[in-house]
Amino acid sequence: MDKKILFRVDAGGKVGLGHFYRSYNLALALKDKAYLVTFVHEKSNFWDAISDFEFKHIELDSSNANNNMFDICLKENYTILYIDGIIEFDSASIKKLKDKTKVVFYQNISKSRHLADVFILPSIHQEKPFFKKFSTKSTKIFQGLEYFTFNSKISKLTTKQISSNNSLKNIGIICGGSDPKNVMLSIFELIDYKEWDTLTFNFYYGDNYMHQESIPKRYANNVSFLPYNVNSINKNDVLIAAFGVSTYEFMALGMPIISIGHQEANANASKILAEKTNSIYHLGLIDLLTKEVLNQTIRKFASNLTISQKLSEKSKQILDLKGIERIVKIIETI
């Protein structure tokens, strides 16, 4: 049987771009394994702007995207449907694929998560109730931080080695590609720059940043607003990060992370990761974060290098860059 895999990856706007970059990295690995890869997606400015994309990609009917996707899957005889994103499906549609196409959900934490043949969850904060609807007979579950898949650019970066000779000079701030809640501006307004005249604060906005007009026109001399670039970001000594895929990417490189949640569920995931692994410094929900707490935290990191060293080492212990290899092995056994 031909090895044909259909990727459903919406990207752009509020969805962000993390789903795309990690799926693209996986698609390249599967191509090397002789899989025929096709992407399907809803319409977005991001997908409209893509040129020279090496895989076939199809824009779905926005009024009936899921059914359109299922029709393509059946008509073109795809053996695997790989879905990266939080997307709801009805059981009747999934059943149409039975015995013809295997359905893989990657981090699809929607209510329909139990409908997948293979469910891959690269996190550790979900408790038993989350898995209540799953049937071990019909769904294979793979959960753990070892299943994280990253943007291919991350694997080319240098892993951080923090020594006692280091000092805190540069703090980077990342808030995701689209940052719909504009966490970046909130963090910018909380920092007391006069206190930190020896530190540089680099704010990185994504290609898909939804609030370009809010970037301040005037700011302190030790502040920069820069386009998101992983090479530049990795040169910082510490990151303040809105908790998400990028947080895990830089953790895998040993970057000390001060983590902030942009919504309650997100903040809870950050808190549990911090409590279970001691690999990030958790500051809670952005809505509740005060100027005093954020500047006190910066003060701790500036005066005690041991905090950064411990976070860096713990991060490298719990995460690596082999997630793509593990997912490929899972797909090959389907």
Side-chain angles (χ1 to χ4, degrees):
M1 184 179 290
D2 291 337
K3 299 195 293 186
K4 297 179 67 176
I5 182 165
L6 186 67
F7 275 76
R8 168 69 180 275
V9 185
D10 298 331
K14 291 183 178 181
V15 176
L17 304 181
H19 303 286
F20 170 79
Y21 285 113
R22 65 191 184 193
S23 293
Y24 175 61
N25 196 10
L26 175 58
L28 291 174
L30 289 170
K31 181 185 176 184
D32 290 341
K33 295 286 186 177
Y35 279 84
L36 177 66
V37 178
T38 303
F39 282 74
V40 292
H41 53 84
E42 292 203 47
K43 180 177 176 60
S44 71
N45 290 335
F46 171 77
W47 276 108
D48 288 345
I50 278 188
S51 60
D52 300 322
F53 189 53
E54 58 196 281
F55 298 108
K56 177 182 177 182
H57 67 101
I58 303 168
E59 183 180 300
L60 298 171
D61 178 358
S62 58
S63 65
N64 200 15
N66 288 350
N67 285 331
N68 189 188
M69 177 189 69
F70 289 128
D71 289 343
I72 292 170
C73 200
L74 290 169
K75 183 178 179 181
E76 301 298 328
N77 297 312
Y78 285 95
T79 52
I80 297 172
L81 173 61
Y82 184 95
I83 296 164
D84 184 339
I86 304 174
I87 307 173
E88 287 283 357
F89 299 100
D90 61 84
S91 58
S93 296
I94 296 286
K95 286 177 181 177
K96 288 180 183 178
L97 302 179
K98 195 169 179 62
D99 301 325
K100 297 178 182 178
T101 305
K102 294 298 182 182
V103 178
V104 180
F105 283 170
Y106 184 88
Q107 210 168 8
N108 183 1
I109 57 174
S110 70
K111 292 181 181 178
S112 57
R113 55 187 176 266
H114 63 286
L115 299 175
D117 295 295
V118 175
F119 183 75
I120 305 171
L121 186 62
S123 62
I124 58 174
H125 61 270
Q126 285 80 6
E127 305 294 342
K128 283 186 178 180
F130 179 87
F131 299 96
K132 188 175 181 180
K133 277 192 169 185
F134 283 91
S135 166
T136 53
K137 292 182 179 179
S138 57
T139 305
K140 290 182 179 179
I141 299 173
F142 299 87
Q143 183 190 17
L145 298 178
E146 65 267 32
Y147 299 113
F148 251 100
T149 57
F150 300 131
N151 185 328
S152 60
K153 292 178 180 178
I154 294 296
S155 61
K156 298 173 184 176
L157 299 178
T158 303
T159 303
K160 281 205 167 294
Q161 304 295 332
I162 301 175
S163 74
S164 56
N165 295 323
N166 293 127
S167 61
L168 183 60
K169 297 177 181 177
N170 303 294
I171 296 180
I173 297 89
I174 57 172
C175 300
S178 55
D179 191 13
K181 199 170 178 178
N182 208 357
V183 175
M184 186 173 75
L185 184 63
S186 296
I187 294 172
F188 169 78
E189 293 175 343
L190 290 174
I191 297 172
D192 183 0
Y193 300 102
K194 290 181 180 179
E195 180 179 352
W196 308 115
D197 56 356
T198 61
L199 298 181
T200 299
F201 295 88
N202 300 309
F203 290 81
Y204 297 93
Y205 55 89
D207 294 339
N208 209 36
Y209 182 47
M210 297 175 67
H211 307 280
Q212 290 274 354
E213 75 289 345
S214 73
I215 295 177
K217 300 294 187 293
R218 298 178 65 184
Y219 38 80
N221 292 331
N222 57 338
V223 172
S224 295
F225 284 87
L226 305 163
Y228 193 97
N229 179 285
V230 293
N231 293 283
S232 177
I233 294 169
N234 198 43
K235 292 176 182 177
N236 288 277
D237 301 311
V238 170
L239 287 187
I240 299 173
F243 189 73
V245 173
S246 295
T247 306
Y248 286 103
E249 288 180 335
F250 286 100
M251 283 174 64
L253 295 172
M255 176 70 77
I257 303 284
I258 299 170
S259 178
I260 298 171
H262 66 271
Q263 57 183 347
E264 286 189 17
N266 178 268
N268 185 56
S270 171
K271 179 183 178 183
I272 293 173
L273 180 66
E275 291 175 345
K276 286 187 175 182
T277 68
N278 295 314
S279 61
I280 59 174
Y281 192 99
H282 172 67
L283 277 189
L285 185 65
I286 185 63
D287 307 67
L288 304 177
L289 185 61
T290 64
K291 195 166 190 173
E292 291 72 23
V293 168
L294 180 55
N295 285 283
Q296 182 184 41
T297 301
I298 295 171
R299 206 171 294 126
K300 286 181 181 178
F301 275 75
S303 62
N304 187 358
L305 188 67
T306 303
I307 298 174
S308 291
Q309 288 177 310
K310 288 182 177 179
L311 292 178
S312 179
E313 292 308 311
K314 284 288 185 180
S315 295
K316 288 183 287 188
Q317 287 172 17
I318 66 167
L319 281 162
D320 60 31
L321 299 172
K322 297 179 180 179
I324 292 287
E325 297 173 28
R326 296 183 183 104
I327 303 300
V328 168
K329 287 180 180 179
I330 291 171
I331 289 173
E332 288 188 305
T333 62
I334 295 175

